[in-house]
Amino acid sequence: MTRLGIDVGGTYIKWVLLEEDEVVSMGTVPTPPSPDETMTFVASLAARRVESIGIGLPGHVDRATGTALFVPNPPGDWDGYPVGSRLGALTGTPVSVVNDARAFGLAELLLGAARGLPDVLFAVLGTGVGGAVALRGGILVGPRDNLGEIGHVTVAPWGPVCCCGNRGCVETFTGASGIVRAFGSGPPEAVAEAARAGDGRAQGVLSRAGWALGIALGDAAAFFGVGTVVVGGGVAGALDLMRSALNTELERRRPLIGDIAVLPAVLGPMAGAIGAALYGRRSE
């Protein structure tokens, strides 16, 4: 039984083919300029005779209808786009449409760093910052697949404008776009490289990113009462440069939230696509 998992990002699409729980094929391509072109690309992958498709989107979705509700980062107009019905019509295959961070969380919960742990927070550091919550062994969803939006916790009401319309969200400091904007040039990997080479400005940018993430995780731990956090995504390679400021915030909240273990994700950049494939399997 082969399942296709798709992780649609603001810059790249990642895809995997899953047989049982094993990845048998994978790939990464630039995100097409519109939802229609994205569906055409996914349909070309599904021509490999897959039994189900799971597609993760960076925003809010209606799982019941497979509709994108608020998806601001990928190119094109996704809001209101009928992903499930369009892709189903193109492929004749069952389609599950989910939030990408919830897909990441399911993959790490069932197959990754959180395997065997019932109660876990997840943070995905990418173009923006996504999140998920697992309680009693299951990922919480919400009516718009919107439960766990750690990236949109307000840490600085006077801060930069976020794509959600708010000011000072975590992702304006800790997401790739926020890090690059604060540093002024280069991709986030270059900022991390400069910080490791002793660049004080780069170190300050990543310290502030850790500060913002620590505030959000402390708030989430207070809300949900969990003691484990799994951090992944493309920017998580700089987690070591954020840890000091992050740990300072968690330690400040320790009398309320207790000890919090912050673990790196282990499934790598394909975790979201793997989780989407797992959700697709559940649609059969």
Side-chain angles (χ1 to χ4, degrees), residues 124-128 174-177 179 188-189 206 209 231-239 242:
V124 191
L125 314 185
T127 302
T174 312
S177 296
I179 288 171
E189 294 83 0
L206 291 168
V231 181
V235 179
L239 181 61
M242 304 180 195

Side-chain angles (χ1 to χ4, degrees), residues 4-6 13-17 27 29 39-50 53 91:
L4 174 62
I6 307 291
I13 286 178
K14 301 179 180 72
W15 61 269
V16 301
L17 291 175
V29 299
M39 296 304 102
T40 299
F41 169 72
V42 176
S44 73
L45 295 175
R48 304 181 184 204
R49 301 175 65 88
V50 300
I53 301 171
T91 64

Side-chain angles (χ1 to χ4, degrees), residues 48-92:
R48 304 181 184 204
R49 301 175 65 88
V50 300
E51 280 71 42
S52 65
I53 301 171
I55 181 165
L57 299 177
H60 296 171
V61 303
D62 183 333
R63 287 199 188 191
T65 65
T67 303
L69 299 176
F70 177 66
V71 181
N73 282 328
D77 184 8
W78 285 83
D79 295 357
Y81 189 85
V83 176
S85 61
R86 189 68 55 85
L87 190 53
L90 288 172
T91 64

Side-chain angles (χ1 to χ4, degrees), residues 7 14-16 23 26-28 100-101 103-105 107-109 111-114 122-126 230-237 263-276:
D7 181 7
K14 301 179 180 72
W15 61 269
V16 301
V23 175
M26 68 177 74
T28 301
D100 63 340
F104 165 90
E108 290 288 343
L109 181 68
L111 304 175
F122 300 91
V124 191
L125 314 185
V230 173
V231 181
V235 179
L263 309 176
V266 299
L267 294 180
M270 294 299 177
I274 293 170

Side-chain angles (χ1 to χ4, degrees), residues 193 244 276:
E193 183 178 349
S244 178

Side-chain angles (χ1 to χ4, degrees), residues 2 19 31 86 121 134-135 155 188 238 268-269:
T2 303
E19 290 184 359
T31 303
R86 189 68 55 85
L121 295 173
L135 293 180
V155 296

